[in-house]
Amino acid sequence: FFFFFKQKTAYEISACLVGSEMCIRDSYNITGDLFFSVKRYADALEPIAKSKGINIRYRYILKEVRGKDRIAVFEDQSTKQTTEEKFDLLHAVPPMHAPEVIRKSPLANEQGYIDVDQFTMQSKKYPNVWAVGDCTNIPTSKTAAAIFSQTPFLLRYMMSIVNNTETPQKKYDGYTGCPVFIGDNKLMLCEFLFNAQPTETFGDQTIPKKSFYYLKRYFFPFAYFQLMPRGLWQGRSFLINPAA
């Protein structure tokens, strides 16, 4: 048996595996037992997983790994019962948290993330502090796309205070993107806003496409490493500043 806690990894090598199992945590799933945090994409991804022979287990948490014996111990969150499963390959992603220097600082909220206004990225405790990305408690997926989209808003709000100018009217809407590779050189490009509201750039993006795969493989790395460091990349707005 092969256990995965990440869809992308399962899809990437599932063609080489037989009898794989995928266990999905719902720690960040406030809407219930969904295969993906946005129902529109969850409904499209679940049949793909099943078509590849991947058995989906909801509300299972990995509690212990006995490496020598190749045994994984799981807890069913619904019943609190534990089960032991033999495995050949285990790919586990631990729960994420901010670095200790943030968690134990006055900047953090009770969950250990920098407590900021979700629309302006300004600290709720210290008006001269701003933050973007994975270290914050902004209620959206922690992806590179989210960081690229948040940055121009942070800059505009920061500069308006530094220069004592009019506060910008536009606010960050929670945009994030999550490209999910499903095999066969195809990819589902999941884009959404706050409250898991889909917002698609290229029509119906619940259909995996080769064009999305080539975007992810060739264009996105160019944008990340060549355009973004020079301030020329703000996510899906390409070279146009969405906060302007």
Side-chain angles (χ1 to χ4, degrees):
F1 285 100
F2 306 88
F3 294 99
F4 298 94
F5 283 83
K6 192 173 182 182
Q7 291 189 53
K8 293 181 181 179
T9 307
Y11 296 143
E12 284 166 1
I13 65 173
S14 62
C16 305
L17 305 179
V18 177
S20 56
E21 302 258 352
M22 186 187 298
C23 304
I24 304 298
R25 288 196 312 263
D26 71 340
S27 302
Y28 297 99
N29 186 0
I30 61 173
T31 56
D33 294 338
L34 289 178
F35 193 64
F36 190 84
S37 59
V38 179
K39 188 176 186 303
R40 174 173 171 80
Y41 300 121
D43 291 344
L45 284 166
E46 186 170 352
I48 293 174
K50 290 181 178 179
S51 72
K52 295 177 178 294
I54 297 175
N55 181 39
I56 307 162
R57 299 185 184 186
Y58 292 101
R59 303 184 66 80
Y60 263 61
I61 289 182
L62 179 65
K63 302 292 288 186
E64 181 185 355
V65 177
R66 300 176 194 156
K68 273 190 173 182
D69 301 322
R70 294 185 177 274
I71 290 177
V73 181
F74 298 93
E75 180 183 271
D76 186 326
Q77 291 180 280
S78 300
T79 64
K80 300 303 179 183
Q81 293 183 335
T82 59
T83 57
E84 297 183 357
E85 302 279 0
K86 294 277 290 183
F87 67 86
D88 296 302
L89 171 66
L90 174 68
H91 178 275
V93 179
M96 303 301 178
H97 56 69
E100 183 175 341
V101 67
I102 291 176
R103 295 200 310 273
K104 294 186 176 181
S105 78
L107 294 169
N109 63 0
E110 293 180 356
Q111 288 71 44
Y113 292 97
I114 298 178
D115 195 12
V116 299
D117 183 290
Q118 70 186 63
F119 302 108
T120 67
M121 279 61 73
Q122 185 176 23
S123 170
K124 294 180 180 178
K125 300 178 182 179
Y126 304 97
N128 62 335
V129 173
W130 284 263
V132 295
D134 296 5
C135 66
T136 71
N137 65 337
I138 297 174
T140 192
S141 293
K142 300 183 184 301
T143 67
I147 296 172
F148 297 150
S149 297
Q150 292 162 13
T151 301
F153 290 95
L154 176 149
L155 291 173
R156 289 299 174 115
Y157 276 92
M158 181 188 297
M159 294 310 298
S160 71
I161 291 178
V162 170
N163 297 325
N164 195 27
T165 56
E166 184 179 353
T167 302
Q169 295 300 308
K170 290 188 177 181
K171 297 183 177 182
Y172 175 58
D173 57 9
Y175 174 79
T176 188
C178 182
V180 181
F181 176 73
I182 58 92
D184 303 319
N185 288 348
K186 291 183 180 180
L187 186 145
M188 186 180 295
L189 187 57
C190 307
E191 295 181 293
F192 46 100
L193 309 176
F194 286 136
N195 300 318
Q197 177 185 346
T199 175
E200 297 177 342
T201 307
F202 304 103
D204 184 358
Q205 292 177 197
T206 62
I207 302 172
K209 297 182 175 69
K210 288 184 181 290
S211 57
F212 296 157
Y213 168 78
Y214 290 116
L215 268 178
K216 169 68 174 175
R217 182 172 180 180
Y218 297 109
F219 180 73
F220 288 169
F222 172 78
Y224 295 168
F225 297 111
Q226 301 299 324
L227 300 181
M228 190 275 290
R230 291 185 284 161
L232 299 175
W233 176 253
Q234 288 89 35
R236 69 170 175 177
S237 295
F238 301 104
L239 305 181
I240 301 174
N241 189 331

